[in-house]
Amino acid sequence: MDALMQTRPELLITVIGVGGCGCNTVNMLSNANLSNSVNLVAVNTDIAALNHCNTENKILIGEKLTNGYGAGADPEIGLKAAQESEDTLKAAIEASDVVIITAGFGGGTGTGATPFIASLTRELNIPSIAVVTLPFESESKMRMNYAIEGILQLKDPIQAYITLSNDLLLQSLDATVGLFSAFTHSNEILRNLIASLASMLTQNGVINVDINDFSRILSFEGESILGVGKSQNEEDIHLALEQAINNPIVQLVDISSAQGVIVQICCKNEITITTYNAVLDKINHQLKTNMGLVIAGVTHCPDMADEIEILIIASGISDEFNKSKCKTKTTGDYTDDLDFVTDEVIESTEPDYLDVPAIIRLQEKINILNEYRK
């Protein structure tokens, strides 16, 4: 065992930020004092944007194609740029044990290059997860269409993906919040998620979740949940669990259909076995079937700021969406129940409707409902 420990290489987690949004996230992570096992890589077609990144590893893709001037909001250019730089991208990830890809969808580089990078991780047999941000509705229907098409292209090569809607996330903020503050808030949530995931994989726990556990959960491919919750005492641990499950990133995805779940508890002080069992019982009760695989981990972190932190990773979430009947009232009044807007209305305009992530489907419902209100 001693010989194995001495020869076993240290775990390497590579976080790749693709395009402007992805590079901004990687920039924030570079100031987060992450483990040395986390390798940050910035990928862009825009050399000027790359020069503003604090990360040591920067990759300019499509140098011959774009001359370093960006993808011009064209996903096709983003894809071709990544294809041109395939060997460089492979070299950046081939030694990784886990790859996390983060990007903003709706533009050129992130939308076009991310699915191709995901295909490289698949080819290299590296467990990978993508966290992508959707554009604001005000940024035009075309950008949202680009984003949806990008996700459809991403679904096959990536093992697990999570979508973050700027519109739905920022609804929780004050209407007068500054633009820069809003983007910082969005990036901060993403930073916390990635930092917690990296800590789980690199720190030894009292009950350990290792790389093989993570790979097993990601083997249940499809739409996923990634959420973090915190509490200041053990009595409120259920609030931390609710916060993780109802995180703005994940609240529109139904955890009940998940095939695999990781529950990672980080605690400043020892928790009781009753509390530990209560957390797992809560997760198991949320699943539709008792056949779902639940892997739990507990790590003692005496230096953490909060008393308790819970990380939830759920994967293999069903794409099926229960179709509802129209619930319009005979008086002609609308209802705030989103089932008032039938899925058939949206399906008629989106032929691949059931393939679209739940967060986008609900945003479409909200938009149609607002039209009825007018």
Side-chain angles (χ1 to χ4, degrees):
M1 186 167 61
D2 288 340
L4 179 60
M5 289 298 294
Q6 291 173 9
T7 58
R8 188 181 68 170
E10 189 176 6
L11 185 72
L12 179 62
I13 302 171
T14 297
V15 180
I16 301 181
V18 187
C21 179
C23 287
N24 286 339
T25 301
V26 165
N27 242 354
M28 287 193 68
L29 290 172
S30 68
N31 300 317
N33 296 319
L34 298 177
S35 163
N36 292 331
S37 297
V38 178
N39 174 38
L40 301 177
V41 181
V43 174
N44 212 334
T45 55
D46 186 338
I47 192 171
L50 273 180
N51 285 335
H52 283 87
C53 289
N54 298 325
T55 56
E56 181 178 345
N57 299 318
K58 307 174 187 179
I59 299 176
L60 177 65
I61 59 173
E63 183 176 357
K64 295 179 182 178
L65 178 66
T66 71
N67 293 314
Y69 288 116
D74 187 345
E76 187 66 25
I77 298 297
L79 171 60
K80 290 179 179 179
Q83 290 171 333
E84 177 188 315
S85 304
E86 177 178 352
D87 291 341
T88 305
L89 291 169
K90 270 188 178 180
I93 63 176
E94 60 186 359
S96 306
D97 295 287
V98 175
V99 172
I100 302 170
I101 309 172
T102 176
F105 273 23
T109 304
T111 311
T114 299
F116 182 76
I117 295 173
S119 72
L120 297 181
T121 67
R122 171 78 71 170
E123 180 182 331
L124 295 169
N125 198 30
I126 302 172
S128 57
I129 185 169
V131 183
V132 300
T133 304
L134 304 176
F136 290 100
E137 183 185 1
S138 60
E139 293 182 273
S140 83
K141 180 67 173 176
M142 178 177 288
R143 287 182 65 88
M144 182 59 77
N145 286 342
Y146 280 162
I148 293 174
E149 181 59 30
I151 291 173
L152 294 177
Q153 295 296 323
L154 177 66
K155 288 179 66 173
D156 284 339
I158 201 72
Q159 286 180 296
Y161 68 94
I162 296 123
T163 51
L164 165 62
S165 166
N166 275 330
D167 283 321
L168 296 178
L169 174 64
L170 298 182
Q171 282 180 9
S172 62
L173 301 178
D174 187 277
T176 60
V177 68
L179 178 64
F180 299 157
S181 298
F183 281 125
T184 299
H185 180 80
S186 176
N187 279 334
E188 186 69 18
I189 288 180
L190 191 52
R191 184 194 68 82
N192 288 338
L193 292 173
I194 294 176
S196 296
L197 179 58
S199 295
M200 180 192 74
L201 293 173
T202 56
Q203 294 180 4
N204 290 323
V206 179
I207 303 176
N208 208 43
V209 176
D210 58 32
I211 182 63
N212 288 332
D213 294 323
F214 182 70
S215 298
R216 178 76 173 99
I217 293 301
L218 289 195
S219 70
F220 303 109
E221 299 182 6
E223 195 161 4
S224 305
I225 283 174
L226 181 63
V228 173
K230 301 177 182 181
S231 66
Q232 299 307 318
N233 56 69
E234 186 173 345
E235 291 71 25
D236 291 336
I237 194 171
H238 64 283
L239 297 178
L241 181 59
E242 289 297 323
Q243 185 183 359
I245 295 175
N246 296 311
N247 184 286
I249 286 180
V250 304
Q251 65 179 348
L252 304 179
V253 180
D254 186 5
I255 194 175
S256 67
S257 64
Q259 299 178 57
V261 180
I262 289 176
V263 184
Q264 172 72 14
I265 304 172
C266 291
C267 49
K268 193 170 187 176
N269 298 294
E270 182 181 13
I271 61 172
T272 66
I273 193 169
T274 300
T275 298
Y276 172 75
N277 286 332
V279 170
L280 295 186
D281 283 342
K282 177 72 172 178
I283 291 294
N284 279 298
H285 286 149
Q286 297 235 9
L287 302 179
K288 288 180 180 177
T289 171
N290 58 7
M291 296 305 293
L293 176 62
V294 178
I295 298 176
V298 178
T299 302
H300 182 210
C301 306
D303 297 327
M304 62 188 289
D306 300 285
E307 186 68 26
I308 292 173
E309 178 179 290
I310 297 180
L311 172 68
I312 297 290
I313 305 170
S315 62
I317 295 174
S318 173
D319 280 337
E320 294 181 4
F321 195 78
N322 295 325
K323 293 183 177 293
S324 56
K325 301 295 182 182
C326 183
K327 296 183 179 179
T328 52
K329 299 179 181 179
T330 55
T331 59
D333 296 334
Y334 69 83
T335 171
D336 283 330
D337 185 349
L338 288 178
D339 286 340
F340 164 75
V341 183
T342 64
D343 298 328
E344 286 80 359
V345 173
I346 303 172
E347 189 176 13
S348 64
T349 61
E350 297 289 352
D352 294 321
Y353 168 69
L354 291 180
D355 288 330
V356 175
I359 198 167
I360 300 179
R361 298 198 303 253
L362 184 54
Q363 182 64 62
E364 290 290 332
K365 279 190 172 187
I366 292 172
N367 294 342
I368 294 174
L369 181 59
N370 287 337
E371 289 299 317
Y372 275 98
R373 288 174 176 171
K374 293 176 182 178

